[in-house]
Each structure stands twice: as C-alpha cells, then as structure tokens.
Amino acid sequence: MWGAEDVARASVRRQGAGLSAAQVADKVAEAARRERETSAQLDSPVADPGPYATDPEDLAEQWAARHTEWRRVAALIDTCGWPAYDPGQDVQGSQWARERDELRTGARTRHAAWQQERQDARDELRTEVWLAADPSRRLRAVAARTGLRPEHLLAQLADHARLNDDGTLTIDPFTPR
C-alpha cells in the first residue's frame, strides 16, 4: 500500500522529532552510507538469502528514499534556522502525513465494507427450486402481475412466512414490493 517514499517520510518524521542539525546531518550520512551499501549488494549475488531475507531492490529503494527525506529535513532545518527538527512545523511533511492518514482511513473503510459484504454473502441462502407445472405457472403469473421476478417473489414469501406451534406454515396477506 505504501511506497518507499511514504515509508521513508513517516519514519524520518517519527525518528527526527527533536533532533538537532548535527544529529540530522549524522542521519543523512548514515542514510547515504546505507544507500551505497544496498546499491552495491544489488550487483553481488547472494549465495543463500534465507527465508527471512528482504528483497535487495526494495531495501535499496527504501534507503534511497530515506536518504532523500533526511536531506530534505536537513535543508529545512538549515533554511528555517531551527535549533531542532519539529514535525509540527514541517508544512510539507505534515501535508504528506495527513494524506497518508486519509489514505489509511479510506483503506480501512473499504476493507470493513468488503468484510461486511463477505459476511452478508455467507449469511445468504442460494438455492434452486424445482416446481411442478401448475405451481410454477401460478408463481410466474403472480410475479408478472407484481412486476417481480419469480425468485424475488419467493424471497418475499419466505420473509412473511411463520411457523406455528402445531407445525403449520402461515403467510399473512401482504403486498409484494
């Protein structure tokens, strides 16, 4: 869901809070070193990466994005003359954070709706009914007069059906909708 830039922005915003210009410069240097290392690993084959190894291209992309973001924060501190990085004063970083939160909220809402649809689908009953010719003709005639499809008329009949204590089935008069 999130690209390397999004992850880097969130990570730097979280880790950079309260860091001085010198500490941010150290983070820029570390990110540059890690970017070089991960880029170099792309060219060298790995014998056995193991079951928990990350994708080398993904890792290189993440460190390149972090390096870019740390440089942006260092330039911001230098330009604004801040004694330390304050994510609340970082207008661009705050806008990106709001956009990420909106995307996350939208994704959670869509996921909840999808889960509800799946639950509703599990609760549905799908069946095939074979009727004799005479009841079938009557059902089709009633459905035609009401403007419903026969399966919708049967569903409404089932909605209005009651099972009495003596085992008989009763359907009170109703108007199909």
Side-chain angles (χ1 to χ4, degrees), residues 55-69:
D55 180 14
E57 290 178 13
D58 186 44
L59 191 59
E61 185 180 347
Q62 286 178 24
W63 277 107
R66 284 185 189 179
H67 184 205
T68 301
E69 186 61 13

Side-chain angles (χ1 to χ4, degrees), residues 5 15 18 22 28-29 52 55 60 65 72 74 79 85 92 102 135 144 156 158 162 176:
E5 291 83 15
Q15 292 175 7
V28 170
Y52 303 109
D55 180 14
R72 186 191 73 78
T79 303
Y85 176 64
Q92 183 65 55
E102 289 169 6
Q156 288 185 30
R162 273 185 326 192

Side-chain angles (χ1 to χ4, degrees), residues 125-149:
L125 172 65
R126 295 179 187 267
T127 186
E128 199 170 301
V129 178
W130 292 85
L131 299 174
D134 189 43
S136 178
R137 277 192 291 277
R138 279 185 283 164
L139 177 64
R140 284 181 220 212
V142 172
R145 283 197 309 249
T146 60
L148 295 171
R149 293 178 36 194

Side-chain angles (χ1 to χ4, degrees), residues 49-140:
Y52 303 109
T54 59
D55 180 14
E57 290 178 13
D58 186 44
L59 191 59
E61 185 180 347
Q62 286 178 24
W63 277 107
R66 284 185 189 179
H67 184 205
T68 301
E69 186 61 13
W70 278 116
R71 284 192 321 239
R72 186 191 73 78
V73 168
L76 184 65
I77 290 174
D78 187 45
T79 303
C80 296
W82 295 342
Y85 176 64
D86 180 6
Q89 292 181 334
D90 182 356
V91 176
Q92 183 65 55
S94 296
Q95 179 183 348
W96 287 332
R98 278 191 304 278
E99 289 171 1
R100 276 192 310 277
D101 288 342
E102 289 169 6
L103 287 172
R104 181 181 301 115
T105 301
R108 285 182 177 159
T109 302
R110 287 188 304 277
H111 182 70
W114 174 76
Q115 283 184 318
Q116 185 61 46
E117 286 176 16
R118 289 191 58 202
Q119 181 62 42
D120 291 347
R122 270 188 244 130
D123 292 342
E124 289 178 1
L125 172 65
R126 295 179 187 267
T127 186
E128 199 170 301
V129 178
W130 292 85
L131 299 174
D134 189 43
S136 178
R137 277 192 291 277
R138 279 185 283 164
L139 177 64
R140 284 181 220 212

Side-chain angles (χ1 to χ4, degrees), residues 25-64:
D26 290 343
K27 292 289 190 176
V28 170
E30 178 189 359
R33 179 181 56 79
R34 298 292 295 266
E35 181 182 11
R36 280 191 309 275
E37 289 173 355
T38 55
S39 294
Q41 287 177 352
L42 290 175
D43 299 330
S44 62
V46 178
D48 181 22
Y52 303 109
T54 59
D55 180 14
E57 290 178 13
D58 186 44
L59 191 59
E61 185 180 347
Q62 286 178 24
W63 277 107

